Structure formats: C-alpha cells, structure tokens
Amino acid sequence: MKRMQVLKYCFNILAVVLLSTVAFLFISYGLLYKNVEFIAEHFNVLLLVSGLILGLIMLGGILFYALKMVSLYRLTVCTLVFIDIFAVVFFALCASELLGKINSVDALREYIEGMGGMAAVIYIIFSFLQVVLLPVPGSVSVAVGVAMFGPLKCAFYSFIGIVLGSFAAFAVGRWIGYKAVCWIVGQDTLDKWLKKLKGKDYLILSLMFLLPLFPDDVLCFVAGLSSMTWPYFAIMITVTRLISVFSTAYSFELIPFNTWWGLMIWVVLLALIVLSFYFVWKHYDKIDKFIKTKLKIKRK
C-alpha cells in the first residue's frame, strides 16, 4: 500500500516537471529562430522570463500536491497542458517563419496570397483553430481577414471556420469537458453551479455569443457543460455567429480606429454592450417571465 502511494506521489510530481520542461523546451527552440525583430532584440529577457514563469508554476504545482491542495494542483496541471499546446504552436509558427509575417498585415497578405487558391482554405482552418486551440480573439482574426480579403469574403470564410470550430468546442465541452472540470473542482461543486445556472443559460449564453465583448470561443466549451441542447446550440450559434462575424467585419471597414470620431463610436458601442448585458443579467427573471407570458398569449 505504501509502495503504491509512493509511486503515485512520484508520478504526480513527475507529471508537473515533465509538462513544465516540455513547454520550456518548445518555447526556447522557438525563440532561437529569432525571426521577429522584438524576439531578436529581447531574446535573453524573454528566455529568462519564460523560464522563471514556468519554474514558478512547476514549484507551485509540486507545493500544491505536497500540501494536498488537490483542486489547485489539478488546475496547475491543466494550465501547464494549455501552455504546452501554446508552446508547440509558437514553435511551429517560428519554425515555418510565419510568425515573422504576422507582425505585418502586408507581409502576411503577401505570404498567404502566394499560396494561390489555398489562401481561403488556410484562413478557414485558422478560424477553426482560433476557436478550439489558438488563444486569439475572434475580432483580431476578423480584422486580419478584412485586411487580406475585404469584409465580404472575410466574413464568409470566418463564418465557416468559426461555426465548425464552435461545434467542435461544444462537443468537447459536452463529451470531455464535464469530466475535466469535475476532475479539477469536484463533481458536487460543479453540479451545484450548473444547477444554479440551469434555466438561465439559454438566454444569457445566447446574448454573450451575440455581443462582441465576451470570449465566444471559451463560451462554446461552457455551453457544452450547460443544459443547452445540440439543436438549440446549432441554431443559436449559426444565427449569432452570422450576425457577429458580418457586423464585426463591416464595422472594421466602416468605423476606423485612426480617427477621434471612430474611437469615440467604439467606446460608445462597448459601453452600450456592457450596459445592455448588465440590464439583462439584473432583470433576467422579469424578462424570462415576460417572454413566456407573450408566448402563451400567442399560443392562445
């Protein structure tokens, strides 16, 4: 029995050490390419900072496990897995010299257009990965797409990739995410919070998908954990993504960031989004009751 406990202890400690080491190696080898001016100028600092951060996370994970702080230990492991994925993507971008193109819209456009008819396919794949893997906000990928393809084509390509990615993320949340979150926070805690949100998740999540201020990609995984059904999610995500992607693409074209009035409009829009969501959250029960009452009237 004691031998099994020792082996389990060693395995959990080794997992944290290995995950931290793998992340540091991929980040280090990516930095060594130095194909971005900022990386070349600050190579030593970036290497030192990444090493210190990963070292602290590793020591934190070991300490959490030693002190039997299970939830924090498991959260550390999940964080390291995410960092490992980011490190591999970062290394691939550096090795392919694509990272050096991303810091210039003109260079990126030239790089992708040089691939001919594959440019649209590459952008759709990027939009898909942006939802399920890459830590890139949807507004950023749409802004890049507008610069490369124009608002109409960008919106169309983004819509295809983002909707497919949203379905994949929802599936992960529905089939894998619950077990993963249970492993981190415990089934009782998770079920308690899902029960509190049940009944509210449909309207609240739908609004969060529609409004550009919220992390839509993360919300797809969250929706998979909620009581939301597949048919509702499919219809909701298609409609909300269609509205948000096309409005974002054309807003970048019509409302510039390099003028005072353009910045003023963006500030006002963001303020209205925050206020509208706060209003819905605050008065959810009244809105829900009003909608249900109207639906009953119509049925009669």
Side-chain angles (χ1 to χ4, degrees):
M1 186 69 179
K2 289 184 178 179
R3 185 182 177 184
M4 291 297 296
Q5 289 178 343
V6 171
L7 288 174
K8 182 181 178 182
Y9 183 88
C10 293
F11 173 80
N12 286 312
I13 297 298
L14 185 61
V16 174
V17 174
L18 285 176
L19 287 171
S20 303
T21 304
V22 169
F24 181 70
L25 287 175
F26 274 103
I27 291 174
S28 300
Y29 282 116
L31 291 172
L32 281 172
Y33 281 93
K34 299 180 181 179
N35 50 15
V36 176
E37 185 179 348
F38 178 82
I39 292 177
E41 291 179 355
H42 303 89
F43 172 77
N44 293 329
V45 175
L46 291 172
L47 191 65
L48 178 63
V49 170
S50 60
L52 285 174
I53 292 174
L54 286 168
L56 289 172
I57 294 174
M58 181 182 70
L59 291 174
I62 295 172
L63 184 63
F64 294 147
Y65 186 75
L67 296 175
K68 296 182 179 180
M69 302 170 72
V70 180
S71 294
L72 289 175
Y73 167 76
R74 291 174 175 176
L75 183 61
T76 302
V77 171
C78 291
T79 302
L80 285 171
V81 170
F82 176 79
I83 293 174
D84 280 350
I85 294 171
F86 170 79
V88 171
V89 173
F90 174 74
F91 172 76
L93 290 173
C94 290
S96 64
E97 298 185 354
L98 184 59
L99 191 64
K101 310 290 184 181
I102 290 178
N103 64 348
S104 168
V105 174
D106 293 332
L108 181 61
R109 185 195 294 118
E110 184 179 346
Y111 182 87
I112 293 180
E113 286 179 350
M115 299 179 181
M118 289 296 293
V121 177
I122 293 171
Y123 185 73
I124 290 173
I125 294 173
F126 175 77
S127 298
F128 174 86
L129 294 175
Q130 170 251 315
V131 177
V132 298
L133 183 61
L134 300 177
V136 180
S139 57
V140 174
S141 63
V142 171
V144 173
V146 170
M148 291 190 299
F149 304 107
L152 181 59
K153 288 184 178 180
C154 163
F156 180 70
Y157 299 150
S158 293
F159 176 74
I160 295 173
I162 289 174
V163 167
L164 292 176
S166 299
F167 287 143
F170 183 84
V172 170
R174 179 54 48 92
W175 298 328
I176 303 173
Y178 180 81
K179 294 180 180 179
V181 178
C182 279
W183 183 73
I184 297 171
V185 302
Q187 185 174 2
D188 292 339
T189 303
L190 177 61
D191 289 342
K192 180 180 72 175
W193 281 103
L194 288 178
K195 187 177 181 180
K196 286 182 178 180
L197 291 173
K198 190 174 182 179
K200 294 184 179 180
D201 46 12
Y202 277 68
L203 178 59
I204 297 298
L205 285 174
S206 298
L207 282 173
M208 292 174 80
F209 276 114
L210 187 61
L211 302 175
L213 190 64
F214 300 96
D216 297 351
D217 311 328
V218 176
L219 291 176
C220 290
F221 294 98
V222 174
L225 291 173
S226 72
S227 60
M228 192 175 290
T229 63
W230 266 105
Y232 180 87
F233 178 80
I235 296 171
M236 182 273 295
I237 203 67
T238 301
V239 174
T240 56
R241 292 295 201 184
L242 185 68
I243 295 171
S244 61
V245 168
F246 274 82
S247 60
T248 302
Y250 278 95
S251 64
F252 281 123
E253 183 78 4
L254 299 174
I255 309 174
F257 283 96
N258 56 354
T259 62
W260 68 267
W261 59 268
L263 290 173
M264 186 65 70
I265 291 175
W266 282 111
V267 170
V268 171
L269 287 174
L270 288 175
L272 289 174
I273 288 169
V274 173
L275 289 173
S276 60
F277 183 78
Y278 174 78
F279 177 81
V280 172
W281 179 266
K282 190 75 174 177
H283 304 283
Y284 172 82
D285 293 330
K286 293 180 181 178
I287 295 172
D288 185 59
K289 184 178 179 180
F290 175 78
I291 293 173
K292 289 178 179 177
T293 302
K294 290 296 182 182
L295 286 175
K296 287 179 181 179
I297 291 173
K298 286 183 179 180
R299 286 173 185 172
K300 290 178 182 179

